[in-house]
């Protein structure tokens, strides 16, 4: 007799649970079911929304809350980094100023009509010359009041003026530079893009409007000329303008008066005065202001007493006490000639620019 729990046909033949074993290979475990992309809606959901019986389960729903937070943080960090990068490299950023232009140089010797007056003392010569009211050395290189411009603060304007003053002092008042010695202090102030031209001017000077050493600095041939007084009389001014939103331009106009004598004199030599009026045009962009550099765009010198035939490219060549200018004028210029043009200019030194002859 069959038991109450047995099927009417009796217990099936074969091992117990054989049916379950037969379908065990197609039974899905719980993790597989949860991972399925289809999920049946509840009865209430089907009644309320009239939705299909199944819905698609998105991959985002299977990500744990901690992983969602981590992914969100990563996305925010990437967005922030992209914004910062685009802010630094956006196409509307102010362009970098162009490289410095080559220096343009003009040298004009001033020839006296009479012999150069001299004296035994530099002090006496200065007192009898127009330089009597000039200041000594760097004291005569004074700066104007610094005022902000449209795009540059007052501190940046002052920095530009101070750099131009430093170049002026080191290139025209430093005794080591004046006597043909070290010029490294001047070179360090130049913009890197001008160093090649500067080095070429010092190594192979030429009166071609580009490579005269005396266009960059004032110097005398130590084999011919010595300083009779290390103190130079100085007078001049600076002016500054904003050339563009990216650069300031400074113009200097100074007169320097040097007491000189012959370098190889056997005994006490008479002292004479040599005057240089130098106008220079500087440019300083924001990089120059930060790195303490200056671009020298133009240099114009009038120097005397000299002969018109003096070659001032390597050194300034003053006429010393008692000497007269050579009678010839400037060399002829051929307008049809090719190659670099030379600045064959010469002026006459006014008698009032020389000290009064000493009284007997």
């Amino acid at each position: 007799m069959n038991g109450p729990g047995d099927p009417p046909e009796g217990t099936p033949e074969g091992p117990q649970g054989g049916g379950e074993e037969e379908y065990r290979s197609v039974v899905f475990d719980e993790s597989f079911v949860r991972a399925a992309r289809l999920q049946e809606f509840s009865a209430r959901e089907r009644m309320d929304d009239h939705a299909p019986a199944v819905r698609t389960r998105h991959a985002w729903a299977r990500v744990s809350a901690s992983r969602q937070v981590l992914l969100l943080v990563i996305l925010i960090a990437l967005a922030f980094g992209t914004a910062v990068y685009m802010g630094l490299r956006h196409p509307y950023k102010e362009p970098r100023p162009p490289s410095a232009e080559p220096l343009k140089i003009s040298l004009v010797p001033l020839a006296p009509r009479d012999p150069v007056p001299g004296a035994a003392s530099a002090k006496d010569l200065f007192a009898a010359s127009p330089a009597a009211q000039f200041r000594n050395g760097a004291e005569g290189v004074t700066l104007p009041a610094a005022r902000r411009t449209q795009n540059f603060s007052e501190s940046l304007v002052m920095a530009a003026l101070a750099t131009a003053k430093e170049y002026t002092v080191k290139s025209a008042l430093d005794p080591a530079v004046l006597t043909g010695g070290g010029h490294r202090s001047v070179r360090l102030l130049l913009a890197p893009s001008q160093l090649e031209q500067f080095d070429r001017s010092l190594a192979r000077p030429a009166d071609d409007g580009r490579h005269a050493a005396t266009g960059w600095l004032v110097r005398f041939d130590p084999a011919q000329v010595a300083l009779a007084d290390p103190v130079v009389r100085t007078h001049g001014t600076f002016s500054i303008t904003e050339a563009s939103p990216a650069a300031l331009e400074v113009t200097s106009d100074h007169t320097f008066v040097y007491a000189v004598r012959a370098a190889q004199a056997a005994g006490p030599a008479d002292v004479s005065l040599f005057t240089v009026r130098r106008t220079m045009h500087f440019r300083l962009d924001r990089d120059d202001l930060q790195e303490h550099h200056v671009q020298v765009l133009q240099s114009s010198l009038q120097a005397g007493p000299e002969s018109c035939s003096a070659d001032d490219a390597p050194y300034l060549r003053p006429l010393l006490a008692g000497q007269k200018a050579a009678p010839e004028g400037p060399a002829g210029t051929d307008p049809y000639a090719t190659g670099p043009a030379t600045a064959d200019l010469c002026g006459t030194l006014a008698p009032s620019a020389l000290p009064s002859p000493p009284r007997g």
Side-chain angles (χ1 to χ4, degrees):
M1 188 172 179
N2 295 332
D6 295 333
E9 299 86 6
T11 304
E13 297 181 359
Q16 185 176 2
E20 295 180 4
E21 292 294 335
E22 180 178 358
Y23 295 100
R24 184 175 299 277
S25 61
V26 295
V27 174
F28 304 116
D29 59 14
E30 184 178 357
S31 63
F32 182 86
V33 173
R34 290 183 178 180
R37 301 184 63 84
L38 298 178
Q39 181 178 358
E40 184 179 1
F41 285 91
S42 67
R44 179 167 296 279
E45 288 175 330
R46 291 198 297 273
M47 291 176 63
D48 295 342
D49 300 335
H50 305 285
V54 294
R55 61 186 172 190
T56 302
R57 297 186 65 189
H58 297 285
W60 181 259
R62 302 196 303 273
V63 180
S64 64
S66 61
R67 290 186 177 180
Q68 291 181 21
V69 172
L70 179 60
L71 289 174
L72 185 60
V73 171
I74 293 175
L75 289 175
I76 293 174
L78 288 175
F80 180 76
T82 302
V84 172
Y85 176 80
M86 294 302 293
L88 295 175
R89 299 296 297 271
H90 68 84
Y92 303 106
K93 186 178 180 181
E94 183 178 292
R96 179 182 175 87
S99 298
E101 302 173 9
L103 170 62
K104 299 177 182 178
I105 302 170
S106 172
L107 303 175
V108 180
L110 302 177
R113 295 173 178 170
D114 301 315
V116 177
S121 168
K123 182 178 179 180
D124 294 338
L125 284 176
F126 281 125
S129 76
Q133 305 302 319
F134 288 7
R135 295 184 178 182
N136 294 337
E139 295 178 1
V141 187
T142 57
L143 296 178
R147 296 181 176 85
R148 67 168 294 115
T149 65
Q150 182 176 356
N151 295 285
F152 289 86
S153 65
E154 181 179 325
S155 61
L156 290 177
V157 172
M158 177 55 69
L161 288 169
T163 304
K165 174 179 178 178
E166 184 176 356
Y167 185 94
T168 301
V169 170
K170 291 184 176 179
S171 63
L173 300 177
D174 186 350
V177 173
L178 295 176
T179 54
H183 52 266
R184 187 171 183 272
S185 60
V186 177
R187 189 179 189 274
L188 289 174
L189 291 173
L190 292 173
S193 56
Q194 288 194 311
L195 293 180
E196 182 179 356
Q197 184 186 6
F198 177 82
D199 293 340
R200 161 72 169 78
S201 301
L202 271 292
R204 298 184 302 279
D207 187 12
D208 58 1
R210 287 289 188 272
H211 299 99
T214 48
W216 302 91
L217 43 82
V218 176
R219 66 174 189 169
F220 306 105
D221 185 354
Q224 303 294 326
V225 179
L227 293 176
D229 188 343
V231 179
V232 182
R233 302 304 190 269
T234 310
H235 177 73
T237 60
F238 288 98
S239 61
I240 186 167
T241 59
E242 181 179 306
S244 72
L248 293 168
E249 292 189 355
V250 179
T251 300
S252 69
D253 185 358
H254 288 84
T255 299
F256 307 98
V257 184
Y258 305 88
V260 295
R261 59 177 177 81
Q264 304 297 332
D270 282 341
V271 178
S272 61
L273 298 184
F274 185 75
T275 304
V276 175
R277 180 175 180 180
R278 185 172 75 163
T279 303
M280 304 197 77
H281 193 65
F282 305 99
R283 178 182 295 162
L284 299 95
D285 59 36
R286 296 185 184 275
D287 288 341
D288 294 327
L289 292 172
Q290 182 177 359
E291 298 170 7
H292 198 60
H293 288 154
V294 65
Q295 305 170 32
V296 189
L297 302 185
Q298 197 164 20
S299 174
S300 299
L301 271 76
Q302 299 177 6
E306 285 190 316
S307 290
C308 287
S309 58
D311 180 10
D312 283 338
Y315 299 101
L316 296 175
R317 304 185 184 280
L319 293 171
L320 302 176
Q323 294 180 343
K324 295 181 63 175
E328 73 272 8
T333 301
D334 182 2
Y336 296 97
T338 59
T342 59
D344 290 321
L345 300 174
C346 186
T348 300
L349 187 64
S352 60
L354 293 169
S356 302
R359 297 177 180 179

